[in-house]
Amino acid sequence: MTLVINELTRDIIRAMKFPTDEDKTFRLPSDLRIAEKLGTSFFIVRNSLGPLRKMGFGLTVVPNYTYIGLKKVKLHFEADYQTIKDMTEGIREKLPYFVDELSILSNDPLGTNVGGIGIVYTDENNLNKILENFMTNYPKLNFLEPRDYFQFNVNLDPDDKKIIDNLLIPSSIERIILREVYRNPFGRIKDMSRSVFSRYTSDTYRRIKRILDAFTRAKAFFLEPYFPTTNLEGSTIFVVVLDKKFIKGNDEKEKLNQMKKILDKNYLFYREYYSNSLSFLCYYNNRKELIELKTRMIDEGYHKAMIFEDFQPIVLSPRIV
């Protein structure tokens, strides 16, 4: 099946990013709400996403690890083809509790292979043990520097801070609700109430809604689109990764807006919550678009940007929340 991403599909996927700075209440990007945001009809949105969903496109939830007392690092690695293949298959077959994402960025039997892995840990000693275990099992694996740490700070008002502080307590109502969001972000609050409180009343609804609204303002989780790139034909998905220190701008927001402007029509969504890098998932429908984008980035002074065309994300469901 050949499927070409057009401008409407791109705008729909961009509208799925939640929460953004503009989101103050828990209103997930359903097909209807995306239609309202874009000023189009529900049926157009549903029909545009239908073919993608049949190919495995969906949404994943990334918790804000800082709020639950954990740390996360994104490591890039390189190795020979067989080592990366063995490691990928091993992680898929028996998911380690500390791995929450895995991407193969270049998968060439005859060339250098690179990938990225997200590791969740409690402290540096714990992280060192995890990495030692990897190196023991896969001695040809080479982790690259610099390490990219999960880092996202929000200025919280006092009421929201009380709710977020409770996320450090595994048995708290707030933590249980975060687990429910992680398990099924589009579940109804009524159903969540019955799961959390064993009943549903107007009081439990208001309490859960208040907590979810605080989660939204504090960015207690991030909702991200997932692309099974091996199933997509017609359009080509690629990743652009940039070192933040080389991006023009006085702060994080200016740097992000600078790259959105340069990537313009080609980007689908982005990750801004790592310490060292900004990454964008992009697409092109012909090679000319990619060449034009590379030329534009060089002209703007971003010749050091890393562009990976052979991008294969692997959806993982770790036990971390």
Side-chain angles (χ1 to χ4, degrees), residues 67-244:
Y67 294 154
I68 57 178
L70 293 173
K71 302 179 185 220
K72 178 185 172 182
V73 64
K74 179 74 175 288
L75 295 173
H76 286 101
F77 55 81
E78 64 179 10
D80 61 279
Y81 176 79
Q82 191 60 48
T83 294
I84 288 186
K85 182 180 178 183
D86 291 344
M87 187 186 76
T88 302
E89 290 177 352
I91 288 174
R92 274 174 153 164
E93 289 173 7
K94 189 176 181 181
L95 178 62
Y97 72 92
F98 49 79
V99 174
D100 85 322
E101 66 173 291
L102 178 64
S103 301
I104 305 304
L105 303 173
S106 175
N107 198 12
D108 180 1
L110 301 178
T112 302
N113 294 268
V114 281
I117 189 169
I119 297 175
V120 181
Y121 62 101
T122 53
D123 53 45
E124 289 302 310
N125 185 51
N126 176 224
L127 176 60
N128 290 334
K129 288 180 180 178
I130 290 171
L131 297 181
E132 287 172 10
N133 180 260
F134 267 116
M135 297 307 297
T136 299
N137 292 327
Y138 309 103
K140 294 183 179 180
L141 189 67
N142 178 34
F143 286 109
L144 306 175
E145 296 291 344
R147 297 177 178 181
D148 214 0
Y149 293 92
F150 186 100
Q151 180 178 293
F152 200 91
N153 301 314
V154 177
N155 293 323
L156 305 176
D157 67 42
D159 289 338
D160 287 351
K161 189 175 186 306
K162 290 177 184 177
I163 289 173
I164 298 304
D165 285 346
N166 285 339
L167 285 173
L168 288 172
I169 306 169
S171 60
S172 67
I173 293 297
E174 289 81 1
R175 186 73 164 266
I176 293 170
I177 290 173
L178 182 62
R179 291 191 195 108
E180 289 291 315
V181 173
Y182 186 75
R183 182 179 63 84
N184 180 17
F186 286 91
R188 298 188 310 167
I189 293 181
K190 285 185 177 182
D191 296 331
M192 191 181 294
S193 175
R194 294 186 182 101
S195 176
V196 174
F197 295 106
S198 300
R199 67 186 188 281
Y200 163 70
T201 66
S202 58
D203 287 338
T204 62
Y205 182 97
R206 283 194 295 269
R207 184 174 180 186
I208 291 175
K209 183 66 167 60
R210 181 167 59 87
I211 291 171
L212 292 174
D213 287 346
F215 283 179
T216 299
R217 291 186 290 271
K219 294 186 172 65
F221 68 92
F222 303 87
L223 199 65
E224 297 184 346
Y226 163 73
F227 259 103
T229 55
T230 53
N231 295 339
L232 186 64
E233 298 179 7
S235 296
T236 298
I237 302 296
F238 65 100
V239 174
V240 177
V241 181
L242 302 105
D243 190 322
K244 285 182 179 178

Side-chain angles (χ1 to χ4, degrees), residues 256-272:
L256 176 60
N257 288 334
Q258 162 80 189
M259 295 320 305
K260 286 166 112 178
K261 181 180 178 181
I262 293 172
L263 295 172
D264 192 23
K265 64 182 181 181
N266 293 102
Y267 85 86
L268 293 167
F269 71 93
Y270 55 87
R271 283 181 169 182
E272 76 276 39

Side-chain angles (χ1 to χ4, degrees), residues 276-321:
N276 298 324
S277 69
L278 272 177
S279 62
F280 289 79
L281 190 71
C282 304
Y283 79 101
Y284 66 81
N285 291 329
N286 60 68
R287 293 288 298 179
K288 181 182 176 183
E289 292 178 26
L290 180 62
I291 293 169
E292 289 174 349
L293 173 63
K294 288 182 176 180
T295 301
R296 190 161 66 245
M297 294 186 73
I298 291 172
D299 290 344
E300 292 287 346
Y302 296 110
H303 58 282
K304 291 186 178 180
M306 293 179 288
I307 298 178
F308 300 99
E309 289 187 70
D310 187 11
F311 171 67
Q312 299 175 34
I314 300 169
V315 169
L316 302 174
S317 299
R319 190 181 71 256
I320 53 177
V321 180

